[in-house]
Amino acid sequence: MIATLGLAALWLAAALAVLQLVGAIVTLRRADNPLGAVVRSVAAVQGGLVAVSFACLIWVFLETDLSVKLVSENSHSLKPLLFKFAATWGNHEGSMLLWVSIMALGGACVALFERRLSEPAMLATLAAQAFVSIGFYAFLLIASNPFARLDPVPAEGRGLNPLLQDTGLAFHPPTLYIGYVGLSIAFSFAVGALITREVSPAFARAMRPWVLGAWIFLTLGIVAGSYWAYYTLGWGGWWFWDPVENASLMPWLAATALLHSVSVLAARNALRAWTVMLGVIAFSMSMVGTFLVRSGVLVSVHAFAVDPLRGQFILALLAINIGAALTVFALRAASISEGERFALASRETALVFNNVMLSGILGIVLVGTLYPLLAEAMGARVSVGPPYFNAASAIFAVPMLLVLCVGPLLGWRRDRLSRLTWKLWLPLAAAISAAAIALTQGVSVLSALGLGLGAALIPASMLPLVGRNLRTAKLPLWGMVTAHLGVGLALIGMASDSAFTREKLIAINVGQTVAVGPWQIKLARIAPVAGPNWTALEAGIEASYDGATPIKLAPQDRAFWAPPQQVNHSALSTRWNGQLYVVLGQQAEDGRWQLRLWWKPFVILIWLGGLMVALGGLLALLGRVASDLRRTIAIDKIAFRRKKQGR
């Protein structure tokens, strides 16, 4: 019954998406069309129906309704409740319903709360959103039905992939998807502005909060996913340039460029064509990522589906959506005026430069991700890994970070670089000192560059606050400072992990002690333990830092039975200056136990910096929303007074 209700709600939502598209298009052509008055309402109801459908899917997972094929293949009656809940989107069909739910709810929020766009621009935006949504509804209902039934009903489910049975599954995919799908709102805004020829500061001010919101969640999703893979997979790394990791990084790079570009358009009426094009590219990268994860072209722990037919469907959606948007852009490009001009020495120039550098990194990642797939399709096997990505990205990242130190200090429209000379001595001194000290420790040039640039960014990010009254400084300024400070901290964490990590793979007997970095690690015991749906061998580790009182760690080698799989469960100890990482391996023939040990100085700064970047975005979003609310209230007051005086 619940599954039937969910499927019916999904079909109704798809029908309303068609009605939304038709109503908006007809009203744009004929202003007196009666459907125009209900387009917003249709979008809102559509969002409610999809929410009902997704709630039904959650319900059948929580009660382990094995008559639903998706539940049978991805759940088990003995699985803990949290993982039954998270398993809703821990598979292809459920994650696609989550995707469509976020898209429909985003469209509903635009219809209900967005009042800054003109009515034609709003109708065009909702038409574009419906156009994209219809393709994904078709994909769900035709190729990926989450409510497909089984007959006969199996006695028990197969269970969830043990690598996904972690609290990270409850947080990482939803945040990442809100970011991914939130960019569809930016895409719809861009297409709507092109259709109505309203690429203006007003359009940018309306679009900016939605871009900020998507970017914040995308940042959080990437940070959470990185840390989840770091402690779950037991390999000791936080980023491997896996194609599916790159699938989330590419839209983030495009969204970061879009965020800065839309701010320039909103504040200074410049970068009109650039902003619209980035709106299209950002969502295009989300679609490319969806294709990579769900087409079967990749074999990855992150990938959902191995189904070329589904991949062809998504590829067709990508071609239709992006092809249509680029066609509209080509037809309307001549009507988009250049906007206000600015001097070479200006904040706008710094933002344009960094946007070009971000686009360069995006191109590097895109080529490095797709080239091996294209080569394999032609019969050749090519491996593209960290050496390529790290070195090639640095070509664009280093100048971008240098300009990031200076750009926020420049004035709008026109400035003089000589005015900033005295402000830059501290970042310069910090960069030279950090890089020089690193090089004396024998680290690589790339790691030394990272440490130097990170050290420079920390003081440089705070320079915009110098000379201001901190109590009256606006939230967007605090947001910029916080985000740029987070970039500096994350960069130091990345470079430190690369330069100073100490690793040891060793086999020892119970009672023996081994050193890694400043730590003394003693294997005190090996004992069996049991969890809710697994058994494990657990190592009792006593770890002492520089002779201090030992702490206890308990890495495990877990054996899941639904489905059967061995999984390493690492143990971490975090200090202010780094993290100890311990993994228990197999027992050797001579009775010794394998241990993998890492001491990672300052690695935690990677995720702390990432969270600060997201926090900076949140502060900026709150500031922009508050400013828009004050402006709306002021306009309403003026309109009320004029109306009262007219009486």
Side-chain angles (χ1 to χ4, degrees), residues 157-458:
R158 298 179 186 176
L160 181 67
N161 183 342
L163 288 174
L164 300 178
Q165 295 189 37
D166 185 271
T167 53
L169 182 63
F171 179 76
H172 165 59
T175 51
L176 194 65
Y177 278 29
I178 293 173
Y180 261 155
V181 184
L183 292 176
S184 71
I185 304 292
F187 173 86
S188 299
F189 269 94
V191 173
L194 284 171
I195 291 173
T196 57
R197 296 184 174 89
E198 294 187 21
V199 183
S200 65
F203 144 76
R205 284 191 291 271
M207 181 185 189
R208 181 166 53 188
W210 303 97
V211 176
L212 258 172
W215 180 83
I216 291 166
F217 278 101
L218 193 54
T219 303
L220 288 173
I222 292 173
V223 171
S226 170
Y227 193 67
W228 182 20
Y230 168 75
Y231 74 76
T232 298
L233 298 181
W235 63 294
W238 56 274
W239 193 267
F240 192 66
W241 295 104
D242 180 281
V244 182
E245 291 175 331
N246 296 346
S248 64
L249 179 62
M250 290 187 291
W252 185 87
L253 291 168
T256 304
L258 172 61
L259 179 59
H260 291 90
S261 183
V262 76
S263 296
V264 174
L265 177 54
R268 300 296 162 181
N269 193 21
L271 308 184
R272 292 183 174 184
W274 185 267
T275 300
V276 172
M277 179 54 71
L278 283 173
V280 174
I281 291 174
F283 184 60
S284 301
M285 292 300 101
S286 292
M287 293 283 290
V288 169
T290 304
F291 170 74
L292 290 174
V293 174
R294 301 171 189 280
S295 62
V297 299
L298 298 177
V299 177
S300 168
V301 69
H302 307 282
F304 277 116
V306 183
D307 189 341
L309 292 177
R310 287 174 174 170
Q312 293 170 15
F313 204 128
I314 295 174
L315 193 60
L317 291 180
L318 175 63
I320 293 169
N321 292 333
I322 307 311
L326 293 177
T327 300
V328 174
F329 182 83
L331 294 173
R332 291 285 195 265
S335 65
I336 302 175
S337 61
E338 183 180 355
E340 298 292 335
R341 294 178 177 271
F342 46 86
L344 184 62
S346 65
R347 189 179 297 189
E348 290 94 331
T349 298
L351 288 169
V352 169
F353 179 84
N354 277 0
N355 277 1
V356 172
M357 295 299 101
L358 283 167
S359 300
I361 298 172
L362 172 59
I364 291 293
V365 177
L366 183 63
V367 170
T369 303
L370 297 183
Y371 176 65
L373 304 179
L374 296 174
E376 187 172 351
M378 292 184 287
R381 285 192 171 273
V382 178
S383 177
V384 177
Y388 160 79
F389 287 108
N390 292 338
S393 298
I395 296 172
F396 297 96
V398 170
M400 179 187 74
L401 293 168
L402 288 172
V403 172
L404 187 61
C405 292
V406 180
L409 304 176
L410 291 167
W412 295 104
R413 299 282 171 84
R414 184 179 300 276
D415 205 342
R416 290 177 294 106
L417 291 175
S418 58
R419 182 182 63 83
L420 307 179
T421 304
W422 70 273
K423 292 185 176 182
L424 297 176
W425 68 267
L426 181 58
L428 182 61
I432 294 173
S433 300
I437 292 172
L439 288 172
T440 62
Q441 301 299 310
V443 307
S444 68
V445 173
L446 198 58
S447 296
L449 265 175
L451 289 166
L453 288 168
L457 265 173
I458 290 175

Side-chain angles (χ1 to χ4, degrees), residues 314-642:
I314 295 174
L315 193 60
L317 291 180
L318 175 63
I320 293 169
N321 292 333
I322 307 311
L326 293 177
T327 300
V328 174
F329 182 83
L331 294 173
R332 291 285 195 265
S335 65
I336 302 175
S337 61
E338 183 180 355
E340 298 292 335
R341 294 178 177 271
F342 46 86
L344 184 62
S346 65
R347 189 179 297 189
E348 290 94 331
T349 298
L351 288 169
V352 169
F353 179 84
N354 277 0
N355 277 1
V356 172
M357 295 299 101
L358 283 167
S359 300
I361 298 172
L362 172 59
I364 291 293
V365 177
L366 183 63
V367 170
T369 303
L370 297 183
Y371 176 65
L373 304 179
L374 296 174
E376 187 172 351
M378 292 184 287
R381 285 192 171 273
V382 178
S383 177
V384 177
Y388 160 79
F389 287 108
N390 292 338
S393 298
I395 296 172
F396 297 96
V398 170
M400 179 187 74
L401 293 168
L402 288 172
V403 172
L404 187 61
C405 292
V406 180
L409 304 176
L410 291 167
W412 295 104
R413 299 282 171 84
R414 184 179 300 276
D415 205 342
R416 290 177 294 106
L417 291 175
S418 58
R419 182 182 63 83
L420 307 179
T421 304
W422 70 273
K423 292 185 176 182
L424 297 176
W425 68 267
L426 181 58
L428 182 61
I432 294 173
S433 300
I437 292 172
L439 288 172
T440 62
Q441 301 299 310
V443 307
S444 68
V445 173
L446 198 58
S447 296
L449 265 175
L451 289 166
L453 288 168
L457 265 173
I458 290 175
S461 65
M462 294 184 282
L463 286 177
L465 297 174
V466 174
R468 293 177 181 267
N469 185 337
L470 300 184
R471 289 180 296 180
T472 60
K474 295 182 178 180
L475 276 179
L477 175 61
W478 283 106
M480 179 187 71
V481 169
T482 303
H484 290 179
L485 181 59
V487 172
L489 289 175
L491 194 58
I492 290 175
M494 296 172 193
S496 296
D497 178 62
S498 174
F500 305 124
T501 291
R502 297 293 177 263
E503 178 183 359
K504 183 164 289 187
L505 173 60
I506 195 166
I508 60 175
N509 290 311
V510 173
Q512 283 188 298
T513 300
V514 64
V516 56
W519 289 89
Q520 295 294 316
I521 310 297
K522 179 181 179 181
L523 178 60
R525 63 178 176 81
I526 296 288
V529 295
N533 59 337
W534 50 264
T535 58
L537 289 175
E538 181 179 273
I541 301 292
E542 296 176 0
S544 175
Y545 182 86
D546 274 347
T549 303
I551 60 172
K552 296 184 183 300
L553 300 174
Q556 298 173 344
D557 183 18
R558 293 181 176 178
F560 287 79
W561 60 73
Q565 186 172 334
Q566 292 287 129
V567 174
N568 286 121
H569 184 73
S570 60
L572 306 176
S573 176
T574 303
R575 292 173 48 87
W576 69 271
N577 63 337
Q579 197 169 60
L580 176 66
Y581 189 119
V582 183
V583 176
L584 173 65
Q586 300 295 314
Q587 187 176 26
E589 293 182 359
D590 59 4
R592 294 183 300 167
W593 292 90
Q594 294 178 352
L595 288 179
R596 298 180 68 186
L597 309 170
W598 288 271
W599 166 239
K600 295 176 162 292
F602 302 107
V603 69
I604 204 68
L605 291 181
I606 297 172
W607 302 289
L608 176 61
L611 292 176
M612 289 187 66
V613 171
L615 175 61
L618 178 60
L619 292 175
L621 177 61
L622 293 175
R624 297 300 181 193
V625 170
S627 176
D628 290 341
L629 184 60
R630 287 193 298 268
R631 185 183 295 110
T632 301
I633 292 173
I635 292 172
D636 289 344
K637 284 182 177 179
I638 293 171
F640 177 76
R641 288 172 185 168
R642 288 177 177 174

Side-chain angles (χ1 to χ4, degrees), residues 66-130:
L66 297 175
S67 69
V68 177
K69 182 180 179 183
L70 195 63
V71 177
S72 173
E73 293 180 345
N74 295 278
S75 193
H76 190 282
S77 61
L78 298 179
K79 192 164 60 176
L81 185 63
L82 174 64
F83 301 141
K84 288 183 179 180
F85 173 73
T88 307
W89 52 78
N91 55 80
H92 168 71
E93 291 83 356
S95 63
M96 282 309 303
L97 182 54
L98 175 62
W99 174 290
V100 170
S101 300
I102 295 170
M103 182 177 291
L105 288 171
C109 289
V110 171
L112 290 172
F113 304 118
E114 183 55 64
R115 292 293 183 268
R116 289 161 293 189
L117 291 178
S118 67
E119 193 60 23
M122 172 56 72
L123 288 171
T125 298
L126 292 177
Q129 188 73 5

Side-chain angles (χ1 to χ4, degrees), residues 11-27:
W11 275 104
L12 285 173
L16 287 180
V18 175
L19 179 61
Q20 177 181 325
L21 176 62
V22 172
I25 291 175
V26 173
T27 306

